[in-house]
Amino acid sequence: MGGYGDMQMIDENGLRVDGRSPGDIREITIETGVIPVADGSCRMTWGTNEAIVAVYGPMEAHPRKIQRQDRAVLDVAYNMAPFSTTDRMRPGFNRRSREISKVTKDALESVVLLELYPRSKIRVTIEIVSAEAGTRCVGLTAASVALADAGIPMTDLVVSVASGKINDVVVCDLNKEEDNYGEADLPMGILPNSGELVFLQMDGNLSQEEFMEAWQYNMDAAQVVHEMMVEALKRGDSQ
Amino acid sequence: MTIPIVPKLLRAHLSELSGKNARIDGRSQWEGRKLEVEHSVLPRAEGSARVRMGDTIVLAGVKFQLMQPYPDRPNQGGLMCSADVRPIAGRHWEAGPPSPEAIELGRVVDRGIRESGCIDVDSLCIIPGEKAWQVILDLFAVSDDGNLFDAFALAGIVALRNATLPAERFEVGKDYPLPVSKTPIMCSYHKVGGRFVYDACAREELGGDERIHITLGDDGNVHSLQKGLKGIFSTEEFTEIMTNAQGRTKELRKIVDSL
């Protein structure tokens, strides 16, 4: 959280820098089956974010020490490609991508029926090839679509959306400028059929009322994105 | 990269097909797979390309940085080319630092581009001895169904040809297109079932032997060669694929020029 409101980002009509109303999300496209050699895959664009996710497995878990006798293990890796950011990103893992990999894994393990595949491994690779703001949300959402595309049984899809605050106004789905100069960011991972959560982070400064408003924006946006995910999966299935 | 077990049955099958002058996916000996090339596909890169050859898909992105010229070449900028094949591209590719296979990919593509002289490194100098542009070409595999070499080389040159130097962002003048004067093109051949074929798919790579990569420039001059994997080849075999490469690189250059 950078400037703490020293930059005016909501105009006199209450519109944001890219012309959206506070509750609007950016444009989204979802496509499945984009990696021919993978068992399941998804390409998702969200604003100028673009994530590509591959799912391989269930397959043999090696080395053997990672095997679990009663369930499958999920191997989740989130990575940003070197050309995904304005300044080139040095390749390789860093603390940020490790943390995002971990929380994404924790979210997906909550919905995948791992006990159906004991001693095996399911590999989920999330690659951000273009980053704007909210890449962890795009990655997690696309990963759940890719798992469904691979035919891995899950209790629900996961929709991840972030809301935040700029110039004391609560807004849904922060873009790059809003993320840089905003005062708060609340990303959530929502199960659209039950309204339950599997992923939650927050940083910044929100009052109780603002927090509830951001929470509700995320819940509402999740329903909209969920419809697009289901539609993409049905479209992919018919091909 | 885990080395997959090479099924003896696959090798026998490829050898039998080769005897009938056939290939596992129905192509003829020198036929390439269906090719799709797009440029300017990545919003954050200064130049980019996406290449699809059959089920092999790759991305290339160009980024620029300001560097201090090397002391022995104060009037030159730099070119860096790196390839990374991450676990997204196939089940045998594993996480971790770049594997020897990925490093070989990056270096062979780098040599073809560098040695062709398509990028004039002198023109990248801003203030001699102090400030110059470094061109960084990152190659990224999305789906590996064989012959990443040719896909990377093609995506790389297309991305460079469509790159813009972000001079305004770095406050060193106005943005301008990266001058790329030549179009080096790579053609790769794999020994499958005892004979060389062009543009091998993953099953041919798996059940095949050595491979040879040839990069040719606009005038047909050779800019880089690489022999990879275990295997023996003769002068006659090399002459045959070199002749084929002369023709195929011209066809591919026409496609690149038409973009």
Side-chain angles (χ1 to χ4, degrees):
Chain A
M1 300 298 102
Y4 291 98
D6 52 357
M7 194 163 152
Q8 196 54 44
M9 299 191 82
I10 302 276
D11 72 8
E12 60 277 12
N13 303 317
L15 295 180
R16 296 153 70 179
V17 278
D18 51 11
R20 284 184 289 158
S21 298
D24 290 349
I25 53 173
R26 290 167 286 181
E27 203 173 303
I28 291 173
T29 67
I30 310 172
E31 211 183 327
T32 59
V34 293
I35 304 176
V37 299
D39 296 311
S41 59
C42 174
R43 174 178 174 270
M44 184 166 186
T45 67
W46 188 320
T48 56
N49 285 309
E50 178 175 342
I52 308 176
V53 182
V55 172
Y56 290 91
M59 58 189 185
E60 189 188 353
H62 66 89
R64 218 160 163 186
K65 66 178 182 194
I66 67 164
Q67 283 185 10
R68 292 285 300 262
Q69 297 306 309
D70 55 341
R71 64 170 178 93
V73 289
L74 269 193
D75 174 6
V76 178
Y78 162 102
N79 180 58
M80 291 174 85
F83 43 69
S84 65
T85 47
T86 308
D87 291 320
R88 179 176 183 262
M89 185 79 135
R90 272 180 72 101
F93 266 107
N94 53 47
R95 287 166 60 86
R96 177 181 173 276
S97 63
R98 288 215 170 176
E99 186 206 345
I100 296 177
S101 299
K102 182 187 175 294
V103 293
T104 305
K105 174 187 151 124
D106 296 343
L108 293 171
E109 280 194 331
S110 316
V111 290
V112 175
L113 300 177
L114 295 167
E115 58 281 6
L116 294 179
Y117 306 105
R119 293 180 294 281
S120 63
K121 176 171 91 171
I122 299 168
R123 199 170 81 193
V124 181
T125 314
I126 302 165
E127 292 289 339
I128 306 298
V129 298
S130 176
E132 188 187 339
T135 57
R136 70 193 67 193
C137 297
V138 189
L140 173 54
T141 309
S144 82
V145 175
L147 280 161
D149 184 45
I152 307 283
M154 290 185 281
T155 53
D156 205 344
L157 290 166
V158 181
V159 192
S160 183
V161 195
S163 287
K165 184 170 77 162
I166 36 166
N167 303 140
D168 290 325
V169 180
V170 176
V171 296
C172 188
D173 187 24
L174 302 170
N175 68 17
K176 194 175 180 215
E177 293 82 16
E178 291 168 343
D179 193 35
N180 288 347
Y181 295 101
E183 296 133 58
D185 186 16
L186 172 70
M188 296 180 359
I190 299 159
L191 308 186
N193 284 302
S194 63
E196 293 167 307
L197 274 80
V198 290
F199 165 62
L200 178 66
Q201 291 187 315
M202 189 269 173
D203 63 286
N205 183 14
L206 289 174
S207 71
Q208 279 294 329
E209 293 73 32
E210 288 166 340
F211 174 72
M212 288 317 294
E213 198 181 342
W215 189 279
Q216 195 54 47
Y217 269 149
N218 284 344
M219 287 292 180
D220 294 344
Q223 295 304 321
V224 178
V225 180
H226 179 234
E227 272 177 39
M228 290 186 245
M229 294 159 76
V230 171
E231 199 209 318
L233 283 162
K234 283 183 178 164
R235 201 170 54 229
D237 240 19
S238 63
Q239 275 169 5
Chain B
M1 181 178 177
T2 45
I3 294 160
I5 298 161
V6 181
K8 284 190 174 169
L9 285 172
L10 176 64
R11 281 187 76 88
H13 181 47
L14 288 169
S15 169
E16 195 191 323
L17 283 169
S18 167
K20 295 184 207 154
N21 195 23
R23 284 174 75 176
I24 201 161
D25 54 7
R27 283 182 287 156
S28 63
Q29 187 176 9
W30 308 120
E31 188 181 344
R33 290 170 290 179
K34 187 170 178 278
L35 179 68
E36 287 170 34
V37 188
E38 290 169 87
H39 64 80
S40 312
V41 292
L42 298 165
R44 295 287 165 271
E46 271 78 46
S48 62
R50 178 180 179 274
V51 166
R52 179 165 187 159
M53 289 163 42
D55 282 345
T56 292
I57 304 170
V58 303
L59 294 170
V62 179
K63 298 293 298 178
F64 295 93
Q65 285 175 357
L66 289 179
M67 62 180 275
Q68 189 177 14
Y70 300 111
D72 55 335
R73 286 172 185 168
N75 298 312
Q76 291 187 357
L79 168 69
M80 186 176 122
C81 174
S82 77
D84 205 355
V85 190
R86 298 186 43 79
I88 193 172
R91 70 172 60 215
H92 58 283
W93 291 99
E94 283 174 355
S99 59
E101 288 79 9
I103 291 170
E104 185 192 16
L105 271 162
R107 286 183 55 88
V108 173
V109 174
D110 182 293
R111 286 206 293 275
I113 290 169
R114 188 183 302 278
E115 302 304 326
S116 75
C118 67
I119 290 175
D120 175 12
V121 281
D122 289 325
S123 76
L124 297 173
C125 182
I126 302 167
I127 304 167
E130 276 181 40
K131 212 185 260 183
W133 287 110
Q134 183 179 30
V135 185
I136 307 173
L137 174 63
D138 282 295
L139 305 164
F140 184 91
V142 176
S143 175
D144 174 17
D145 190 38
N147 199 10
L148 283 175
F149 280 87
D150 286 3
F152 272 162
L154 194 59
I157 189 67
V158 173
L160 287 169
R161 284 170 55 114
N162 289 283
T164 301
L165 283 127
E168 281 157 31
R169 182 154 59 83
F170 286 93
E171 296 174 341
V172 285
K174 281 223 169 305
D175 289 2
Y176 64 97
L178 175 71
V180 180
S181 59
K182 297 187 179 74
T183 312
I185 302 279
M186 187 192 290
C187 281
S188 299
Y189 299 85
H190 283 71
K191 180 88 71 78
V192 181
R195 60 160 187 180
F196 277 102
V197 298
Y198 169 63
D199 186 24
C201 66
R203 281 182 298 171
E204 288 176 316
E205 283 187 346
L206 182 60
D209 297 299
E210 78 271 21
R211 47 181 163 76
I212 294 180
H213 313 282
I214 302 173
T215 307
L216 300 178
D218 294 9
D219 39 20
N221 287 4
V222 194
H223 293 306
S224 89
L225 292 172
Q226 180 92 342
K227 182 254 180 180
L229 304 181
K230 190 183 92 178
I232 303 169
F233 64 97
S234 68
T235 308
E236 290 71 32
E237 283 175 317
F238 184 77
T239 311
E240 192 186 14
I241 60 173
M242 189 60 154
T243 311
N244 184 266
Q246 291 286 358
R248 182 63 185 155
T249 49
K250 284 199 187 94
E251 290 170 19
L252 290 168
R253 195 169 291 110
K254 258 186 213 151
I255 294 172
V256 173
D257 282 336
S258 70
L259 292 171

